[in-house]
């Protein structure tokens, strides 16, 4: 399924109508198959044959299961895999991609094949000692597509992704400075820094640069860098080993682990009693490592999963605590400063005591304020000096620069007045120690509230990460599969092919499939599906979901970072890293924002100072406690501290964070700000047919027999032939044939001798001494079989009803016609109607799309290539995705209106625009509080997205579907 703008879709509509005319005039199976080499009719066949149908009707033989790569490689073969990229032309939909993928994977020595239908590419990882590039191209061509090798081969280790937590950023200027510094490092291909999540994602070549050098580059920019993960961590485990006494102990453990099959690398950190192991998850796992370690030296050592370092939540809590402590200490010092300057002076007796002169004109109150303000300025406010220095050192300016300049101006002018008072017998001046102290305190208060609010924006990820249970019940089986015993283990110790017991009310610990038991599983926390899903033998289950009423035995297939839950978390995290195009506006503004504010603040001070010096305004405008210079200085400081680049920087990423998190909880995975922004502009939806508008599960809808034969006997022979094919149409026939058996679980069929797949036509075999042919008209005519008029009419009737007609002959006589259809999803008509009401046009054909959507039941490559994934495979989630995109982007617009409007209105007011007429001015400490409030407002405005509810009409639609089912 794809989304596009109306302009890009109109031309495709005409092609769609032409294709429909070709279908009417020529038929699907006759002319379309004869002209198979024609690209247009190739695409026609793909669209009209339900997108999942093969390019010919011939069933393919069922091959015995083949390992993804030769077993010898598991046993230690030194052959290295290679990764190569092909250009594949002629693909039009996910079914084409699946055909190419299957054709490649049938070859020996193929480790992985990923086909990207959107970019017409296929990426293949293979073992050159078993297969070469020419054979891969030949397999793609045999599948009916054109393939060419893209020149450069891709090195497996040429690209690595490193995720780093960055602390100390305040605005987009910080982000730009870090990205620029990283991109200047040799070997860095891409660097993305997210202000809202305080993380950086770096794509780099590990041959040219190490992740430690990347951390140094970030720290050189003046920020704290903490490694979260590298691409090497995918199949890597860290263990803590107790009982180690000598280096020889470490050596024995290392040697024992290296002899274990599947272990790739072993690294030791004796200082931390830590051992790190990279391994092949298909072969071994952490439980095996612990067993090996504890068997060394007759069990002298004890091993366990290494205690996790501080995660996202704990680090966020630590940051909150730091701001809280800083705020608390600043208040302890600031409150007395505030009282001595603005409250005590009005209290008889107390005010006189603080006005007592110590040296010349220097008073007790000024000394107290100086002493208390100094630690606020240089100890508590040290972070602003450090941030300013690091920013200016790299040629940029951020919010720290504005705060440092504003507070320094107030503080050092106050120091000047104190020194003048101490050395003069007639100097009368006013200090501004309360200005600098209150300004720093209110900024810290704002940052404290901001980190509290920002922590809530990432609550969706935290919620997802907490879904995985801490423990699991492992079943110990004998060689015959009989349960010997069971034990509780840490869920991080689960390995592939483990059999786990899940009792009612417990969480499923990892991805796998049911090997015993029946139950209902609540998958709403992963897919957003509110109704419990029935599970029985062979059904897949997802880690983190909740078993409801029956006991299940689960065989683990994907564990750790390979699980669906981990992939969803990574996808949402990556989505929050990717910047929306609209954020470029904030990035451009931030480059000039702070310098312009400094220039405007200086101009404000200078204008008011000159106006006062030359008496351009009445002296009555000047407050009794200050002179014209001090009034001008306060205006300048207010302008400097009221400007807020933070609000601009947070406007987009906070909304994207909340929007993608809410989408994940609704079963809609949005891969970044680009997709989120583009989706809100969509005015045309282009649907694939099979599996999207239809169920994607072909079923037999009618059977017409032309000879005297029992229906059960007819299907026994047809199924005996078709059971050798893996094609959906063949599976539909076999499943239908089971209905005529008393034992529907019986999987055995009569032997089909001399089985032959006839390319482009169908299959041929001998069953019970009868020659059986199943296929299209061409197959029958080529075999010299006459097609009766009644059969012709039945084929035409099936094609007129958008059904696939298949002919069956026995002993050279057409015996019957089978009609197969892919049922329309119950929600399809209503979804199309709702989209129309949203001014979104719907058509059915494959085009190049602005935003790609894939349903969760689709192929892995479709999900990988798509910008938005609909986890529940529900068609109505298309509406949710577009509606959420529109709501999120509306929120982003409001954020920008607030952030820009705040600065456009606030800066002139701080500069004294209302002072001549209303005598209204903003003291610097109030301006600082307003600056902090602007950032908090933007974050809170984004947080309102957490209250998002999908359109109410979809609830009505869901009720209708229940009735249909």
């Amino acid at each position: 399924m794809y989304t596009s703008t109306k302009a890009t879709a109109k031309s495709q509509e005409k092609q769609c109508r032409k294709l429909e005319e070709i279908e009417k005039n020529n038929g699907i199976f006759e002319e379309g198959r004869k002209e198979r080499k024609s690209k247009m009719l190739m695409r026609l066949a793909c669209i009209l044959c339900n997108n999942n149908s093969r390019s010919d009707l011939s069933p393919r033989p069922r091959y015995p299961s083949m390992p993804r790569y030769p077993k010898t490689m598991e046993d230690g073969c030194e052959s290295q895999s290679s990764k190569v990229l092909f250009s594949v032309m002629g693909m039009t939909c996910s079914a084409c991609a699946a055909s190419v993928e299957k054709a490649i994977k049938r070859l020996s020595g193929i480790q992985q094949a990923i086909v990207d239908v959107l970019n017409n590419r296929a990426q293949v990882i293979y073992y050159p000692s078993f297969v070469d590039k020419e054979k891969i191209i030949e397999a793609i061509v045999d599948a009916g597509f054109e393939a060419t090798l893209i020149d450069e081969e891709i090195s497996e280790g040429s690209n690595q992704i490193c995720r780093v937590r960055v602390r100390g950023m305040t605005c987009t200027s910080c982000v730009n400075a870090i990205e620029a510094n990283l991109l200047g490092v040799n070997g860095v291909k891409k660097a993305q820094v997210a202000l809202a999540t305080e993380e950086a994602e770096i794509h780099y070549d590990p041959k040219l640069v190490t992740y430690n050098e990347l951390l140094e580059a970030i720290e050189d920019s003046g920020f704290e860098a903490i490694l979260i993960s590298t691409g090497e961590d995918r199949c890597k485990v860290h263990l803590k080993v107790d009982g180690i006494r000598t280096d020889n102990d470490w050596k024995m453990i290392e040697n024992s682990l290296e002899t274990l099959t599947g272990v790739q690398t072993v690294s030791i950190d004796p200082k931390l009693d830590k051992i790190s192991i990279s391994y092949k998850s298909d072969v071994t796992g952490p439980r095996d490592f612990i067993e090996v370690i504890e068997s060394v030296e007759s069990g002298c050592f004890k091993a366990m999963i290494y205690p996790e370092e501080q995660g996202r939540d704990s680090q966020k809590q630590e940051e909150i605590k730091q701001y809280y402590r800083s705020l608390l200490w600043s208040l302890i010092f600031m409150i007395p400063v505030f009282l001595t300057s603005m409250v005590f002076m009005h209290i008889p007796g107390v005010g006189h005591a603080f006005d007592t002169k110590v040296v010349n004109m220097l008073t007790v109150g000024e000394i107290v304020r100086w002493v208390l303000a100094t630690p606020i300025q240089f100890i508590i406010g040290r972070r602003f000096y450090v941030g300013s220095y690091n920013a200016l050192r790299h040629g940029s300016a951020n919010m720290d620069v504005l705060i440092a300049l504003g507070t320094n101006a107030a503080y050092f002018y106050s120091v000047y007045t104190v020194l003048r008072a101490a050395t003069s017998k007639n100097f009368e001046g006013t200090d501004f120690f309360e200005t600098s102290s209150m300004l720093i305190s209110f900024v810290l208060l704002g940052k404290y509230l901001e980190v509290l609010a920002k922590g809530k924006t990432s609550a969706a990820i935290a919620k997802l990460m907490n879904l995985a249970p801490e423990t699991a019940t492992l079943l110990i089986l004998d060689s015959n599969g009989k349960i010997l015993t069971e034990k509780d283990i840490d869920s991080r110790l689960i390995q592939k092919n483990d059999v786990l017991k899940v009792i009612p009310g417990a969480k499923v610990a990892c991805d796998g499939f049911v090997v015993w038991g029946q139950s209902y599983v609540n998958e709403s926390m992963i897919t957003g599906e509110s109704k419990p899903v029935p599970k029985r033998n062979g059904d897949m289950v997802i880690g983190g979901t909740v078993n409801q009423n029956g006991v299940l035995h689960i065989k683990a297939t994907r564990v750790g970072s390979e699980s669906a839950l981990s992939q969803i978390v990574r996808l949402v995290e990556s989505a929050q890293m990717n910047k929306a195009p609209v954020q470029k506006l904030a990035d451009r503004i931030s480059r000039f924002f702070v310098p312009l504010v400094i220039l405007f603040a200086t101009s404000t001070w200078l204008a008011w100072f000159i106006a006062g010096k030359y008496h351009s305004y009445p002296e009555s405008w000047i407050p009794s406690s200050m002179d014209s210079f001090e009034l001008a200085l306060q205006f300048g400081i207010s302008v400097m501290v009221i400007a807020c680049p933070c609000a601009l920087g947070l406007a987009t990423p906070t909304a994207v964070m909340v929007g993608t998190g809410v989408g994940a909880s609704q079963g809609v995975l949005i891969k970044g700000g680009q997709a989120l922004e583009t989706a809100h502009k969509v005015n045309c939806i282009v649907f694939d047919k099979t599996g999207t508008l239809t169920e994607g599960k072909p079923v037999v809808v009618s059977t017409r027999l032309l000879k005297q034969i029992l229906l059960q006997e007819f299907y026994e022979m047809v199924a005996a032939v078709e059971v050798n094919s893996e094609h959906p149409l063949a599976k539909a026939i076999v499943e239908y044939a089971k209905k005529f058996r008393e034992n529907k679980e019986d999987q055995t069929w009569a032997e089909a001798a001399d089985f032959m797949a006839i390319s482009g036509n169908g299959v041929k075999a001998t069953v019970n001494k009868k020659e059986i042919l199943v296929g299209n008209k061409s197959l029958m005519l080529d075999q010299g079989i006459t097609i009766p008029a009644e059969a012709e009419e039945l084929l035409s009737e099936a094609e007129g009803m958008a059904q696939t007609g298949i002919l069956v002959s026995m002993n050279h006589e057409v015996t019957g016609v089978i009609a197969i259809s892919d049922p329309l999803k119950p929600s399809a008509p209503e979804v199309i109607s709702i989209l129309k009401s949203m001014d979104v046009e719907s058509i059915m054909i494959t085009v190049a799309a602005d935003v790609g959507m894939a349903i969760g039941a689709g192929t892995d490559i479709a999900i990988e290539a798509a910008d938005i994934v609909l986890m529940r495979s529900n068609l109505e989630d298309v509406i949710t995705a577009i509606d959420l995109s529109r709501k999120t982007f509306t929120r982003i617009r409001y954020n920008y209106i607030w952030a820009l409007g705040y600065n456009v209105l606030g800066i002139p007011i701080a500069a004294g625009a209302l002072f001549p007429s209303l005598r209204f001015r903003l003291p610097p400490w109030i301006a600082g509080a307003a600056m902090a409030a602007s950032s908090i407002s933007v974050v809170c405005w984004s947080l309102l997205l957490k209250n998002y509810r999908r359109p109410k009409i979809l609830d009505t639609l869901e009720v209708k579907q229940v009735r249909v089912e």
Side-chain angles (χ1 to χ4, degrees):
M1 177 200 321
Y2 306 93
T3 57
S4 183
T5 60
K6 195 171 291 186
T8 58
K10 283 294 184 183
S11 60
Q12 299 297 326
E13 234 182 331
K14 295 180 181 178
Q15 295 182 22
C16 184
R17 294 194 185 103
K18 289 181 180 179
L19 293 174
E20 289 172 352
E21 288 298 320
I22 295 174
E23 178 192 359
K24 292 177 182 177
N25 295 333
N26 298 332
I28 300 174
F29 299 102
E30 187 171 5
E31 296 298 327
R33 302 309 184 197
K34 289 181 181 178
E35 298 296 328
R36 183 178 175 214
K37 293 183 180 179
S38 166
K39 288 185 180 179
M40 179 59 75
L41 292 184
M42 184 73 177
R43 294 174 184 173
L44 170 67
C46 187
I47 294 169
L48 298 181
C49 291
N50 300 340
N51 288 342
N52 270 341
S53 63
R54 51 202 152 179
S55 55
D56 56 78
L57 282 180
S58 57
R60 298 189 178 97
R62 177 169 293 170
Y63 295 94
S65 58
M66 182 182 295
R68 185 68 59 87
Y69 42 84
K71 185 177 179 182
T72 53
M73 297 178 189
E74 294 281 358
D75 297 334
C77 178
E78 296 182 356
S79 176
Q80 296 295 319
S81 64
S82 296
K83 186 188 292 185
V84 69
L85 205 60
F86 297 95
S87 171
V88 182
M89 303 307 296
M91 297 188 297
T92 59
C93 66
S94 57
C96 298
S99 298
V100 173
E101 191 173 335
K102 285 181 180 179
I104 297 172
K105 287 182 176 179
R106 283 198 175 99
L107 299 173
S108 298
I110 299 297
Q111 181 179 348
Q112 187 182 53
I114 299 177
V115 184
D116 183 352
V117 69
L118 300 181
N119 296 308
N120 296 313
R121 291 190 173 190
Q123 176 182 292
V124 182
I125 301 176
Y126 68 102
Y127 292 95
S129 57
F130 288 81
V131 68
D132 55 29
K133 296 185 284 288
E134 288 71 23
K135 288 184 179 179
I136 298 174
I137 292 176
E138 184 179 341
I140 298 173
V141 171
D142 286 344
F145 303 91
E146 297 179 9
T148 55
L149 177 67
I150 294 180
D151 291 338
E152 73 270 13
E153 241 187 46
I154 307 166
S155 172
E156 181 68 30
S158 62
N159 188 54
Q160 198 77 276
I161 300 177
C162 175
R163 294 180 68 86
V164 180
R165 195 174 312 285
V166 183
R167 303 178 70 177
M169 296 187 294
T170 57
C171 61
T172 50
S173 296
C174 303
V175 171
N176 294 335
I178 296 171
E179 287 181 348
N181 212 29
L182 284 171
L183 290 171
V185 176
N186 184 34
V188 173
K189 302 176 180 180
K190 182 181 178 183
Q192 291 180 309
V193 181
L195 176 64
T197 59
E198 296 182 333
E199 290 183 8
E201 185 177 276
I202 310 158
H203 297 244
Y204 66 101
D205 187 341
K207 295 179 180 178
L208 300 177
V209 63
T210 65
Y211 60 80
N212 286 322
E213 291 173 313
L214 299 177
L215 297 180
E216 290 174 6
I218 295 174
E219 290 174 350
D220 185 55
S221 302
F223 303 90
E224 183 182 357
I226 303 169
L227 182 67
I228 299 175
S229 66
T230 68
E232 300 170 350
D233 296 332
R234 185 168 178 82
C235 288
K236 193 172 187 177
V237 66
H238 307 283
L239 301 177
K240 180 178 175 61
V241 184
D242 294 329
I244 301 293
R245 294 182 178 85
T246 65
D247 291 340
N248 188 51
D249 292 342
W250 281 119
K251 193 64 180 175
M252 285 192 297
I253 292 174
E254 183 179 7
N255 291 338
S256 299
L257 287 170
E258 286 177 344
T259 60
L260 192 64
T261 303
V263 171
Q264 296 174 315
T265 62
V266 179
S267 59
I268 295 171
D269 188 342
K271 293 181 180 179
L272 299 175
D273 292 333
K274 181 179 180 181
I275 187 165
S276 302
I277 308 158
S278 296
Y279 61 97
K280 294 180 180 179
S281 60
D282 290 327
V283 182
T284 187
R287 210 165 59 253
D288 294 338
F289 307 147
I290 292 175
E291 185 178 341
V292 168
I293 292 171
E294 294 182 347
S295 67
V296 176
E297 282 291 291
S298 302
C300 294
F301 310 123
K302 184 71 175 176
M304 66 191 76
I305 294 288
Y306 199 83
E308 293 183 356
E309 299 177 0
Q310 287 186 328
R312 176 194 297 269
D313 290 341
S314 56
Q315 289 186 355
K316 182 65 68 177
Q317 290 301 318
E318 180 60 30
E319 183 182 16
I320 292 172
K321 288 179 181 178
Q322 287 180 3
Y323 272 113
Y324 177 76
R325 287 193 294 264
S326 297
L327 174 62
L328 189 62
W329 279 107
S330 69
L331 291 175
I332 290 173
F333 287 98
M334 182 273 290
I335 291 175
V337 174
F338 171 76
L339 293 175
T340 58
S341 64
M342 296 187 176
V343 178
F344 290 163
M345 66 176 64
H346 301 295
I347 301 176
V350 178
H352 177 73
F354 280 101
D355 286 337
T356 302
K357 294 180 175 57
V358 178
V359 179
N360 291 330
M361 300 298 290
L362 180 63
T363 65
V364 173
E366 289 174 325
I367 294 175
V368 171
R369 288 192 290 272
W370 188 12
V371 171
L372 293 174
T374 300
I376 298 178
Q377 184 70 33
F378 298 108
I379 299 176
I380 299 172
R382 180 178 179 272
R383 67 175 68 239
F384 303 118
Y385 285 99
V386 174
S388 301
Y389 169 75
N390 291 324
L392 294 172
R393 184 162 61 95
H394 291 90
S396 63
N398 58 13
M399 188 194 77
D400 290 335
V401 174
L402 295 178
I403 295 172
L405 284 174
T407 56
N408 277 333
Y411 178 84
F412 285 108
Y413 176 76
S414 301
V415 172
Y416 163 76
T417 62
V418 167
L419 296 177
R420 280 289 306 274
T423 57
S424 174
K425 293 184 179 181
N426 54 8
F427 175 78
E428 292 185 2
T430 304
D431 65 85
F432 293 143
F433 286 121
E434 83 284 351
T435 295
S436 62
S437 301
M438 294 176 71
L439 183 55
I440 289 175
S441 297
F442 275 107
V443 170
L444 289 174
L445 173 62
K447 294 301 292 183
Y448 172 66
L449 296 175
E450 184 181 313
V451 294
L452 281 176
K454 284 198 314 189
K456 294 181 180 179
T457 62
S458 57
I461 290 183
K463 185 178 178 181
L464 284 171
M465 294 176 72
N466 291 331
L467 288 177
E470 294 183 358
T471 61
T473 302
L474 175 67
L475 297 178
I476 310 299
L477 310 177
D478 62 14
S479 57
N480 297 321
K482 184 179 179 181
I483 300 174
L484 297 177
T485 184
E486 60 183 55
K487 64 177 180 178
D488 291 337
I489 62 170
D490 189 318
S491 61
R492 293 171 296 179
L493 297 178
I494 297 174
Q495 299 177 187
K496 284 188 179 179
N497 298 320
D498 280 347
V499 177
L500 307 171
K501 179 181 177 182
V502 187
I503 62 175
K507 289 183 178 180
V508 178
C510 66
D511 294 359
F513 62 90
V514 178
V515 293
W516 181 87
Q518 294 185 9
S519 182
Y520 281 84
V521 174
N522 182 359
E523 297 182 345
S524 61
M525 62 290 298
I526 302 293
T527 66
E529 176 60 64
S530 58
K531 295 182 295 182
V533 181
K535 300 292 181 182
R536 61 179 183 175
N537 192 22
D539 289 341
M540 300 301 297
V541 291
I542 306 172
T545 56
V546 178
N547 183 26
Q548 289 200 329
N549 52 1
V551 176
L552 294 176
H553 291 179
I554 308 295
K555 188 169 185 178
T557 56
R558 294 192 296 181
V559 298
S561 59
E562 298 176 352
S563 68
L565 180 59
S566 296
Q567 291 174 9
I568 290 172
V569 170
R570 280 199 301 273
L571 189 149
V572 177
E573 286 178 334
S574 298
Q576 295 175 352
M577 292 295 302
N578 295 331
K579 294 181 180 178
V582 70
Q583 195 169 342
K584 294 177 182 177
L585 171 64
D587 292 342
R588 285 194 294 266
I589 293 174
S590 67
R591 294 175 186 172
F592 311 103
F593 186 84
V594 175
L596 285 175
V597 168
I598 294 172
L599 178 63
F600 190 61
T602 305
S603 302
T604 298
W605 167 77
L606 192 61
W608 279 101
F609 174 68
I610 294 174
K613 189 172 183 65
Y614 291 98
H615 307 288
S616 299
Y617 59 82
E619 291 189 7
S620 61
W621 287 11
I622 304 174
S624 58
S625 61
M626 61 182 71
D627 58 21
S628 61
F629 174 83
E630 293 168 343
L631 178 64
L633 182 62
Q634 285 225 346
F635 279 128
I637 293 173
S638 295
V639 168
M640 198 168 296
V641 298
I642 199 171
C644 186
C646 293
L648 279 172
L650 293 170
T652 298
T654 52
V656 170
M657 280 184 71
V658 180
T660 51
V662 168
S665 67
Q666 298 270 345
V668 178
L669 299 184
I670 303 172
K671 297 183 180 180
Q674 170 79 48
L676 197 62
E677 179 174 344
T678 307
H680 96 280
K681 304 175 185 175
V682 166
N683 54 19
C684 180
I685 296 281
V686 184
F687 290 97
D688 273 347
K689 181 181 176 184
T690 302
T692 303
L693 290 176
T694 63
E695 295 286 356
K697 298 177 181 178
V699 294
V700 174
V701 292
S702 67
T703 309
R704 297 291 293 274
L705 299 179
L706 305 180
K707 300 293 181 182
Q708 292 294 327
I709 184 174
L710 293 175
L711 193 60
Q712 180 180 359
E713 181 184 351
F714 173 82
Y715 269 108
E716 283 286 336
M717 288 188 283
V718 173
V721 178
E722 289 284 46
V723 75
N724 294 289
S725 174
E726 296 179 352
H727 192 272
L729 297 182
K731 289 181 178 180
I733 293 174
V734 174
E735 285 299 315
Y736 188 75
K738 291 179 182 178
K739 295 182 178 181
F740 299 98
R741 289 186 160 188
E742 292 183 5
N743 182 9
K744 294 179 173 55
E745 299 299 324
D746 187 4
Q747 301 290 330
T748 60
W749 301 93
E751 182 181 354
D754 302 324
F755 178 87
M756 181 184 299
I758 302 171
S759 178
N761 294 309
V763 293
K764 178 181 178 182
T766 301
V767 180
N768 296 335
K769 298 182 180 181
K770 289 185 179 181
E771 186 180 74
I772 311 294
L773 279 81
V774 184
N776 57 17
K777 289 171 63 176
S778 297
L779 174 64
M780 303 300 163
L781 295 174
D782 291 344
Q783 296 293 320
I785 298 173
T786 303
I787 301 175
E790 185 180 357
E792 292 275 13
E793 292 177 4
L794 291 172
L795 284 178
S796 299
E797 181 181 338
E799 291 171 4
M801 298 174 65
Q803 298 171 352
T804 301
I806 296 177
L807 295 171
V808 178
S809 77
M810 297 181 181
N811 290 337
H812 296 276
E813 288 185 331
V814 175
T815 309
V817 179
I818 301 173
I820 298 177
S821 175
D822 191 0
L824 197 66
K825 285 187 175 179
S827 61
E830 287 84 355
V831 168
I832 301 299
S833 176
I834 295 171
L835 287 171
K836 187 175 181 181
S837 69
M838 296 171 68
D839 295 324
V840 177
E841 185 179 356
S842 303
I843 58 177
M844 190 182 74
I845 193 174
T846 303
V847 299
D850 297 305
V851 181
M853 293 188 189
I855 59 175
T859 62
D860 289 343
I861 182 58
I863 293 173
E864 183 70 24
D867 300 296
I868 298 174
V869 181
L870 312 180
M871 288 295 293
R872 294 188 293 182
S873 303
N874 287 350
L875 199 58
E876 57 267 29
D877 284 343
V878 176
I879 297 167
T880 302
I882 295 176
D883 185 65
L884 177 59
S885 170
R886 291 179 177 179
K887 293 286 196 312
T888 304
F889 205 76
T890 298
R891 197 73 50 171
I892 291 173
R893 283 200 187 101
Y894 288 156
N895 283 348
Y896 274 119
I897 291 172
W898 169 255
L900 290 171
Y902 163 84
N903 285 292
V904 168
L905 294 175
I907 291 176
I909 293 174
L914 300 178
F915 191 69
S917 58
L918 302 177
R919 301 294 185 275
F920 178 80
R921 67 185 179 90
L922 285 176
W925 64 272
I926 294 181
M931 180 271 292
S934 68
S935 297
I936 299 168
S937 300
V938 166
V939 176
C940 291
W941 191 246
S942 295
L943 280 173
L944 290 176
L945 272 173
K946 294 182 73 174
N947 298 323
Y948 171 82
R949 297 291 181 270
R950 65 180 193 161
K952 290 183 178 180
I953 193 171
L954 294 183
D955 297 329
T956 306
L957 179 60
E958 193 172 74
V959 171
K960 288 182 179 178
Q961 287 187 59
V962 171
R963 289 174 181 170
V964 170
E965 293 170 356

